[in-house]
Amino acid sequence: MTFTSLLCRSATYVATKEVTHRSFLLFFRQPVICCLNLCELIVKLLFVVCCGIITVLLIIHKYENLDNFKRTLYYRYAVDGEFFAQPRNVAGERIDWHDYELMEDELNRRGPGEQGRPYKLTNGKDIELNAKLFKENGYSAVVSDMIALNRSVPDIRHPSCRTKQYLKELPTVSVIVIFYNEHWSALLRTVYSVLNRSPPSLLKEIILVNDHSTKKFLWGPLREFVETELSPKVRLIDLPERSGLIVARMAGARAARGDVLIVLDSHTEVNTNWLPPLLEPIAEDYRTCVCPFIDVIAHDTFQYRSQDEGKRGAFDWKFYYKRLPLLPGDLEDPTKPFNSPIMAGGLFAISAKFFWELGGYDEGLDIWGGEQYELSFKIWQCGGRLVDAPCSRVGHVYRGYAPFGNPRGVNFVVRNFKRVAEVWMDEYSQFLYERNPQFAKTDPGDLTSQRELRARLKCRPFKWFLEEIAPDLLVRYPPRDPQPFASGRVQSVAEPKLCLDSLNHQAKEPIGLYTCAMNKTHPQNNQFFTLSYHRDIRVRSNDKCLDAAKLNEEVVLFSCHESQGNQMWRYDYESKMIIHGKDHLQQCLDADLVRRKLFVRSCDKTKPSQQWNWGYVNFVHLQNWDVYGAKFL
């Protein structure tokens, strides 16, 4: 073997050994690399999962609980995707939404209650049955039964509303109707009015929520009727126990699939083209809540008529709902929505997106009471806007009698009021508490989540609400009542044994005369009258005011409206006469001593029956009648 060949073999051997060694290293290195890569991948996955869990926990914490988080996800990715998640009405195109065929058909309808006309019973058996059902419903149920479920109502909108066009792209709606022991025909008339007078493309559904009624026909028979006659547009939810208005509305809102939630009472009738005016402000800004004008459906005849042509919602410091006059700018265009500090509460439209951003209703509120204040304060203080839409009109039956008792046996309304005041009214809550000693004894419950909600949404202080949204509220309803012109018992000069007495009557019932209480300045509540700063006479027993519609009519009690008019009174301490209305009308309070009734009659200084002694008289304020007291309207 030559040296050269040996060298070649040695080189080949070494090369082979090197390749074998490299192969050996590669053979054992590959699994190690794979292991390292796998470990790195696992670590990365674990990091991503941990980040996801932390993110979800933080979001759930933000939305207070898992249910709120689920609702937020649903509305963010389901509802928002349908309307609010993308630009709409970019070109600003508007169309006429009127259903002229339906309007023509309704105009030609005839029959009981058609065109909103009053219907009166004449048959003796019907009248007897109606009296019985009135105690159950607070309105004439037999009259309701005589009227068609799809009756026509008068178009009482401002004439300019009839030619107004609205945005072409509008969100869909879920109409939520809560009912408890509602009469069959009144409930279904509500449903049919919505079905007939709403554009099908906008009406996603009507959700009826049965708050565990005790009337049998509101269970099986109603469900069968809904499923056979009204489905799929109408759905029915039965609550397992009596839960109250607030919980029931929340149940309806959770089930809703529309872009906008519209809440209606269960004895209402929507009017012509009611929906587009409610929806356009929301389409322009999803944080706008819109209320319709509420018309009156008479509880005894079901006559449909207007209530007024608009006022702004407010409250006094007993938390009674009140109304403020429109501001000058609100009167420029009778079709334009105007700002309102407080909603009436029963009828409104709000986007589902904004409703859930606000946390819905405070579910610590029980049955009913205070929910309209809570939602109104949240809307304004947390970046939204509340308006009334003059071209959207809905009729509402105002019960003549409250048929439902207290299901809790405790004063849940005061507790609700205190929850709202503690969370939203800041230092102004004290003025509520001063008016009602029950507040001091009432535990509002745990307010932690509501206060956290307010902090998280960065809501404005209540002082801002009063200064910017309701600047005239403190003028019209001072936090502390100014001194009255007169107060105490009101004694007849003609018959000193008799004094004015509320007779424990309520609104729309007459006052009378009764044996005087011993205490002149602080008699029992039914004889404790106040000639207030607002220039009305109030009775302490029920916080109602003396009201007289016209000359020679009996004086009745009516809800105080602070608008003077029929409720304006003045005491002339020299003649001892109580003057009704403006002085030039020459109308005075007069006693019929035989029947012990009170009337408004032409003033006559020679008649002792028109002379009265008040238990306490503030002579200084009466002498300054023209400058002290509420502004003359």
Side-chain angles (χ1 to χ4, degrees):
M1 182 179 294
T2 64
F3 175 75
T4 303
S5 63
L6 181 63
L7 185 61
C8 288
R9 283 188 179 185
S10 297
T12 303
Y13 173 77
V14 171
T16 303
K17 285 290 186 182
E18 186 176 351
V19 171
T20 303
H21 179 66
R22 287 178 181 172
S23 298
F24 176 80
L25 291 176
L26 287 172
F27 176 78
F28 284 101
R29 185 189 294 175
Q30 195 65 36
V32 172
I33 293 173
C34 288
C35 264
L36 290 173
N37 289 340
L38 183 60
C39 289
E40 185 179 354
L41 181 62
I42 290 172
V43 169
K44 288 181 178 178
L45 286 173
L46 286 173
F47 177 75
V48 171
V49 170
C50 289
C51 288
I53 291 172
I54 292 171
T55 302
V56 170
L57 289 174
L58 288 173
I59 293 174
I60 291 174
H61 175 72
K62 176 182 177 181
Y63 291 98
E64 299 179 18
N65 57 54
L66 188 58
D67 286 340
N68 283 345
F69 178 48
K70 289 176 180 176
R71 289 197 296 270
T72 302
L73 287 179
Y74 174 80
Y75 283 106
R76 179 167 293 171
Y77 298 112
V79 176
D80 289 358
E82 293 178 10
F83 193 88
F84 294 110
Q86 50 188 304
R88 301 283 183 173
N89 299 294
V90 177
E93 183 181 357
R94 283 175 162 77
I95 63 172
D96 185 348
W97 283 92
H98 285 91
D99 184 343
Y100 289 104
E101 185 177 347
L102 174 65
M103 292 169 63
E104 182 67 24
D105 177 67
E106 291 194 333
L107 202 59
N108 294 322
R109 293 189 58 155
R110 299 292 180 268
E114 295 295 343
Q115 315 303 323
R117 295 189 181 94
Y119 183 79
K120 295 183 178 181
L121 300 174
T122 56
N123 182 279
K125 290 184 178 180
D126 290 340
I127 294 173
E128 184 179 349
L129 176 60
N130 192 61
K132 177 185 176 183
L133 292 178
F134 182 83
K135 295 178 180 178
E136 295 180 13
N137 299 283
Y139 53 75
S140 297
V142 176
V143 171
S144 177
D145 292 342
M146 297 290 186
I147 297 171
L149 296 180
N150 61 342
R151 76 149 169 183
S152 55
V153 295
D155 183 357
I156 56 177
R157 297 173 297 165
H158 189 279
S160 298
C161 294
R162 300 170 190 175
T163 58
K164 192 172 178 66
Q165 296 185 334
Y166 296 94
L167 291 171
K168 183 178 181 180
E169 294 183 276
L170 294 175
T172 61
V173 304
S174 293
V175 177
I176 301 169
V177 178
I178 313 302
F179 66 91
Y180 173 75
N181 282 353
E182 194 66 72
H183 192 64
W184 178 276
S185 58
L187 174 62
L188 291 182
R189 189 174 296 108
T190 300
V191 174
Y192 276 107
S193 75
V194 174
L195 288 173
N196 292 340
R197 300 192 183 105
S198 304
S201 61
L202 300 181
L203 181 62
K204 187 91 169 181
E205 61 192 349
I206 300 174
I207 300 175
L208 302 178
V209 183
N210 179 5
D211 190 17
H212 208 73
S213 299
T214 59
K215 294 180 178 179
K216 292 183 179 179
F217 61 77
L218 294 174
W219 290 88
L222 179 61
R223 179 162 292 281
E224 181 181 355
F225 188 85
V226 167
E227 291 176 353
T228 58
E229 302 294 330
L230 303 175
S231 182
K233 279 282 188 181
V234 182
R235 292 193 287 147
L236 177 61
I237 297 173
D238 295 320
L239 298 186
E241 61 181 1
R242 178 81 193 279
S243 302
L245 178 74
I246 298 159
V247 172
R249 282 184 180 172
M250 289 291 279
R254 288 189 182 99
R257 298 174 295 201
D259 301 305
V260 170
L261 310 176
I262 295 183
V263 172
L264 296 179
D265 279 348
S266 52
H267 35 266
T268 56
E269 295 176 66
V270 304
N271 210 311
T272 302
N273 206 43
W274 74 293
L275 202 46
L278 278 184
L279 297 181
E280 182 170 275
I282 300 174
E284 293 173 330
D285 183 351
Y286 82 94
R287 295 178 301 173
T288 301
C289 178
V290 190
C291 299
F293 270 27
I294 304 176
D295 297 323
V296 175
I297 300 175
H299 69 268
D300 52 350
T301 65
F302 274 66
Q303 179 185 16
Y304 189 111
R305 61 176 177 81
S306 66
Q307 181 171 207
D308 55 42
E309 292 310 306
K311 289 188 177 181
R312 296 150 55 236
F315 62 91
D316 66 12
W317 298 97
K318 291 183 180 179
F319 249 179
Y320 290 135
Y321 177 75
K322 299 292 183 178
R323 305 181 81 201
L324 297 169
L326 297 182
L327 299 174
D330 300 333
L331 301 171
E332 294 174 359
D333 183 350
T335 71
K336 185 180 178 180
F338 54 82
N339 290 348
S340 182
I342 302 292
M343 66 169 67
L347 317 174
F348 65 91
I350 187 170
S351 71
K353 175 181 173 65
F354 190 41
F355 183 73
W356 292 121
E357 283 181 4
L358 295 174
Y361 285 117
D362 169 13
E363 294 190 80
L365 301 177
D366 192 23
I367 304 295
W368 60 265
E371 74 282 351
Q372 77 274 38
Y373 300 130
E374 190 235 0
L375 189 55
S376 299
F377 294 158
K378 280 202 292 193
I379 288 168
W380 281 115
Q381 291 174 243
C382 305
R385 182 182 178 220
L386 176 62
V387 301
D388 283 4
C391 291
S392 176
R393 306 193 75 126
V394 179
H396 178 269
V397 179
Y398 290 92
R399 299 182 196 268
Y401 164 78
F404 308 128
N406 185 337
R408 292 287 187 262
V410 296
N411 194 337
F412 54 84
V413 175
V414 170
R415 182 180 180 275
N416 288 353
F417 284 173
K418 190 166 185 178
R419 287 186 68 86
V420 175
E422 286 290 310
V423 174
W424 297 102
M425 296 181 71
D426 304 329
E427 69 272 19
Y428 289 88
S429 61
Q430 65 176 313
F431 300 120
L432 283 180
Y433 302 161
E434 289 176 5
R435 304 293 181 98
N436 188 346
Q438 287 296 317
F439 280 109
K441 307 173 185 177
T442 301
D443 179 8
D446 186 5
L447 300 172
T448 304
S449 63
Q450 291 302 303
R451 286 172 171 156
E452 287 177 350
L453 172 73
R454 178 176 174 177
R456 185 170 62 252
L457 295 177
K458 296 181 174 58
C459 303
R460 296 175 184 267
F462 194 71
K463 184 179 181 181
W464 172 88
F465 169 83
L466 290 174
E467 292 176 348
E468 299 297 327
I469 307 305
D472 49 342
L473 188 146
L474 294 179
V475 177
R476 192 70 175 271
Y477 304 106
R480 291 192 175 98
D481 271 338
Q483 291 182 334
F485 293 98
S487 64
R489 76 180 192 185
V490 184
Q491 180 189 41
S492 170
V493 171
E495 180 50 81
K497 293 181 180 179
L498 298 179
C499 288
L500 293 191
D501 198 295
S502 70
L503 307 176
N504 293 320
H505 285 173
Q506 299 300 314
K508 302 181 183 179
E509 295 182 321
I511 64 166
L513 295 168
Y514 202 77
T515 303
C516 289
M518 294 297 294
N519 194 320
K520 294 180 180 181
T521 58
H522 291 83
Q524 64 263 30
N525 286 343
N526 54 308
Q527 287 193 10
F528 199 138
F529 291 85
T530 301
L531 180 54
S532 82
Y533 172 89
H534 298 288
R535 308 182 192 277
D536 51 29
I537 297 179
R538 302 176 176 225
V539 57
R540 178 169 290 188
S541 62
N542 56 15
D543 206 43
K544 296 293 186 289
C545 284
L546 271 59
D547 193 295
K550 56 185 178 182
L551 191 66
N552 297 321
E553 285 207 353
E554 192 171 4
V555 178
V556 299
L557 294 170
F558 211 85
S559 296
C560 302
H561 52 56
E562 292 88 20
S563 297
Q564 298 171 22
N566 293 347
Q567 294 183 3
M568 183 176 178
W569 303 87
R570 179 173 73 84
Y571 183 57
D572 183 338
Y573 59 84
E574 293 180 341
S575 67
K576 298 188 176 183
M577 302 175 81
I578 297 177
I579 301 165
H580 177 249
K582 299 293 179 69
D583 287 351
H584 71 274
L585 297 175
Q586 286 292 298
Q587 298 178 2
C588 290
L589 183 67
D590 198 345
D592 183 331
L593 298 174
V594 176
R595 295 187 292 167
R596 296 192 175 187
K597 293 187 175 185
L598 283 306
F599 295 86
V600 167
R601 295 205 168 103
S602 296
C603 295
D604 185 346
K605 293 184 179 181
T606 66
K607 292 181 66 175
S609 62
Q610 291 188 6
Q611 297 172 13
W612 307 90
N613 287 317
W614 282 84
Y616 164 77
V617 175
N618 192 318
F619 293 100
V620 173
H621 290 338
L622 284 173
Q623 289 166 358
N624 291 279
W625 174 261
D626 292 335
V627 294
Y628 180 79
K631 181 181 177 180
F632 287 103
L633 302 178

